[in-house]
Amino acid sequence: MLTRSAGILIPLFSIRTRASLGRGEILDLAPMMDFALSMGHRAVQLLPLDETGPDDLSPYSAMSVMAIDPMYISVGGLAGVGRVVLRRARAAVGKGRFVPRSIIRREKFALLERAYRASRARGGRGEAAQLDGFIEANSYWIRDYAMFRALKERFNWSSWETWPAQIAQRDPAALAAVRRELAEPIEMYGYWQFIAHRQWSQMRAYASAHGGLIGGDLAFSPRRDSAEVWANQDEFDLSRTVGAPPDGFNPKGQRWGLPLPNWNQMRAHGFKLLRARARHARLLYDLIRIDHVVGLYRTFNFGSDPDAAGTFTPADEADQRLQGEEVIRAIQPEVGAAELIAEDLGTVPPWVRESLTGLGVPGYKVMQWERNWGQAGESFVSPAAYPELSLATTGTHDTEPLSAWWREQPVAEREKFVRALGLESRVNPGSILGEAARDAILAALYAAPSRLVIIPIQDLFGWSARINRPGTISDSNWTCRIPLTLERMRRSRAIQSRVAKLREIAIRSGRFSS
């Protein structure tokens, strides 16, 4: 069982080091883990690493939920990537905080292709044997993925549903012909995954050796145009799309465009695909966050009519509870020693949280949202009342930073909040949220019984950047990066003073031992 700990939420793409090429990379996790541990935080919680298409920014809409996005591979030191070509790539990308993804992708993929060709030319038996072993161990996903990836290039990134019928429908003879005709790119995309997973294994070992934990996010579903849907078409109802039910912000609900799982077919297959995803995740992470866990119990979905209301599948509450518990029980043995965490936010009926508690899976406690809803005054719930089986936090990748939330609240709401935390003498509801007030709030949250506290890095340092604004499509979504490289943050007296304060909060709350 995971001991009482604290962690930092930061997307991998947000990390900045002198070595990375325009966005965070896999090997940047080592200095990030060092930085987290220096402030008394054992865990680094990431967003999905899944590969997305050229024009897709959201890691929750991936063309493969098994493949690590090659954009995250650290290219320095790879075969064929010497100082000169790496210097040229760095010059093309520049040193700005925000670099267009298209530029990074162009330069990174050119270097990765160069590395693949250099590896083939070198022909070393040792690496070839390791590659063969990796492909064999990951045959349950990588062969379909590599072929899908090669076909996406061949057909100019068009949807698999528009490909020639025999390929779209996976006729064995047609696929055999594809394997022959596209043998080289198929091998290259497998090689890229070999490199990505080899680097990731190094980071898992590094974190373990230093007492750190790496957390990951199990996205609810692959997108419709993905390797997993193409390879498992009977496990999805392509006539329906997944979304969220109506609420105060979205009166018609949200349409996410993800395919509806064919739950009956998945059940008939023993939830094979979900179990494979969980088994794969345990190779990558110590903490596994199940995104949109309520969707495993009851999946809100829409048909093709844009004006028609959505519906829940299954429709009956008893069937919903039975299904969710059946799915989670199928997943639990596959994750081994990794810890499951349920993202149980949004429109979630109380019985779902009761079910998760019975299954021993902690859910979320977002401090600003924990209130006595429906009661007079709807007071905030003190973190001291949170259950041990929970993850306490100030927000997620979809929420505004704590400082922005505070600024937007009426003074009366701030007063309720401060009173619930017992901070009337330390936090002035009529003032801006300064560092001392923010630390008092964080200390109250860290003192909660919750086994885990994981805080967005923005809230630890008072930064204002957002990771994502739900319901919007913008170049600012999924692109934010920390304002300084980790090297500069280590040299900054102001940052190191802040690190010392955060470390003291973690130690004082029993979440870290020096």
Side-chain angles (χ1 to χ4, degrees):
M1 179 183 293
L2 182 67
T3 58
R4 184 176 172 84
S5 304
I8 299 171
L9 169 63
I10 181 170
L12 183 53
F13 57 72
S14 295
I15 301 174
R16 290 179 69 189
T17 68
R18 292 178 61 187
S20 54
L21 192 66
R23 73 197 314 249
E25 298 175 344
I26 295 172
L27 298 187
D28 293 337
L29 273 174
M32 185 65 225
M33 184 60 68
D34 291 342
F35 187 66
L37 289 167
S38 72
M39 64 176 98
H41 291 61
R42 291 183 60 208
V44 174
Q45 178 71 33
L46 307 169
L47 301 188
L49 304 171
D50 308 333
E51 183 174 6
T52 60
D55 301 319
D56 297 301
L57 294 176
S58 172
Y60 293 93
S61 180
M63 67 176 179
S64 173
V65 290
M66 297 289 198
I68 295 175
D69 196 327
M71 293 273 282
Y72 288 127
I73 295 175
S74 300
V75 291
L78 294 183
V81 183
R83 294 181 180 178
V84 174
V85 293
L86 191 54
R87 191 181 305 123
R88 289 173 185 164
R90 294 193 191 287
V93 169
K95 297 181 179 180
R97 182 177 174 187
F98 298 102
V99 182
R101 188 172 184 270
S102 59
I103 294 177
I104 302 172
R105 182 183 177 88
R106 180 193 68 205
E107 298 300 322
K108 178 66 70 72
F109 281 21
L111 294 176
L112 289 174
E113 185 168 349
R114 185 183 184 96
Y116 163 70
R117 300 200 182 284
S119 175
R120 285 193 71 189
R122 182 180 296 174
R125 291 184 180 180
E127 185 173 77
Q130 292 175 16
L131 174 60
D132 290 342
F134 172 78
I135 297 296
E136 184 60 33
N138 291 273
S139 60
Y140 60 96
W141 67 272
I142 197 166
R143 290 191 171 99
D144 285 323
Y145 156 76
M147 185 186 297
F148 180 84
R149 185 68 173 75
L151 286 166
K152 291 294 283 185
E153 292 278 3
R154 163 64 64 87
F155 295 118
N156 198 28
W157 292 95
S158 61
S159 167
W160 65 263
E161 293 174 89
T162 68
W163 296 349
Q166 289 182 315
I167 297 177
Q169 295 167 13
R170 296 179 58 83
D171 174 75
L175 297 189
V178 169
R179 279 190 288 271
R180 290 192 299 271
E181 295 167 13
L182 300 181
E184 185 177 57
I186 287 173
E187 182 182 70
M188 181 173 72
Y189 297 130
Y191 177 76
W192 289 2
Q193 289 303 307
F194 165 65
I195 295 297
H197 283 78
R198 184 172 68 183
Q199 290 184 351
W200 196 268
S201 294
Q202 293 170 11
M203 293 301 95
R204 282 293 305 275
Y206 185 91
S208 177
H210 290 76
L213 304 168
I214 297 177
D217 200 327
L218 203 64
F220 178 70
S221 171
R223 73 181 191 185
R224 184 182 182 116
D225 187 22
S226 66
E228 286 78 30
V229 173
W230 174 64
N232 302 276
Q233 295 171 40
D234 62 335
E235 297 209 0
F236 296 90
D237 180 352
L238 299 183
S239 69
R240 311 284 297 180
T241 61
V242 173
D247 56 27
F249 300 100
N250 301 278
K252 292 187 176 181
Q254 297 179 48
R255 294 173 182 260
W256 298 340
L258 302 174
L260 174 67
N262 184 336
W263 290 115
N264 288 333
Q265 192 70 6
M266 286 191 171
R267 182 176 294 105
H269 292 166
F271 301 107
K272 180 181 177 181
L273 180 57
L274 289 172
R275 288 190 292 107
R277 290 186 62 195
R279 193 164 57 250
H280 188 65
R282 83 177 182 200
L283 301 176
L284 304 177
Y285 309 118
D286 303 293
L287 309 173
I288 301 173
R289 175 186 183 270
I290 307 174
D291 179 53
H292 189 54
V293 75
V294 69
L296 302 180
Y297 288 84
R298 57 179 201 176
T299 315
F300 197 74
N301 59 97
F302 301 87
S304 57
D305 184 348
D307 297 318
T311 185
F312 284 111
T313 301
D316 180 75
E317 182 179 309
D319 291 337
Q320 292 169 359
R321 182 162 188 156
L322 183 66
Q323 174 175 289
E325 293 181 355
E326 188 179 13
V327 172
I328 293 174
R329 287 195 177 104
I331 289 173
Q332 283 177 317
E334 302 293 350
V335 301
E339 294 275 345
L340 285 178
I341 302 165
E343 186 276 290
D344 56 350
L345 305 174
T347 307
V348 179
W351 59 262
V352 170
R353 294 194 171 99
E354 294 171 5
S355 170
L356 290 169
T357 298
L359 292 165
V361 180
Y364 267 64
K365 295 294 180 184
V366 179
M367 182 170 51
Q368 302 91 302
W369 298 349
E370 289 298 314
R371 305 184 67 161
N372 293 305
W373 298 109
Q375 298 182 16
E378 295 187 333
S379 59
F380 289 88
V381 175
S382 168
Y386 296 171
E388 181 184 358
L389 191 69
S390 67
L391 182 155
T393 185
T394 56
T396 73
H397 59 272
D398 281 335
T399 62
E400 72 275 70
L402 180 61
S403 58
W405 176 85
W406 178 269
R407 187 170 57 249
E408 294 164 3
Q409 300 306 304
V411 172
E413 288 298 295
R414 297 181 193 171
E415 289 174 345
K416 289 182 185 178
F417 182 72
V418 170
R419 189 161 52 248
L421 271 61
L423 299 176
E424 296 95 324
S425 64
R426 301 180 62 189
V427 179
N428 181 358
S431 300
I432 63 170
L433 192 66
E435 183 175 303
R438 190 172 66 250
D439 282 354
I441 292 170
L442 288 175
L445 185 63
Y446 279 57
S450 305
R451 192 179 302 159
L452 272 174
V453 167
I454 294 184
I455 308 295
I457 194 169
Q458 295 94 321
D459 291 345
L460 295 174
F461 289 90
W463 298 332
S464 59
R466 287 192 66 154
I467 297 171
N468 177 51
R469 292 179 182 272
T472 67
I473 298 176
S474 167
D475 289 342
S476 64
N477 288 342
W478 315 111
T479 58
C480 73
R481 301 179 74 198
I482 56 178
L484 302 171
T485 64
L486 290 174
E487 292 87 351
R488 289 186 63 188
M489 291 176 75
R490 283 199 299 268
R491 295 197 302 268
S492 166
R493 291 184 179 180
I495 294 291
Q496 289 307 305
S497 173
R498 183 82 195 120
V499 163
K501 291 180 181 179
L502 293 168
R503 181 184 179 91
E504 177 57 30
I505 291 173
I507 292 174
R508 195 167 61 245
S509 62
R511 298 190 179 275
F512 190 76
S513 173
S514 58

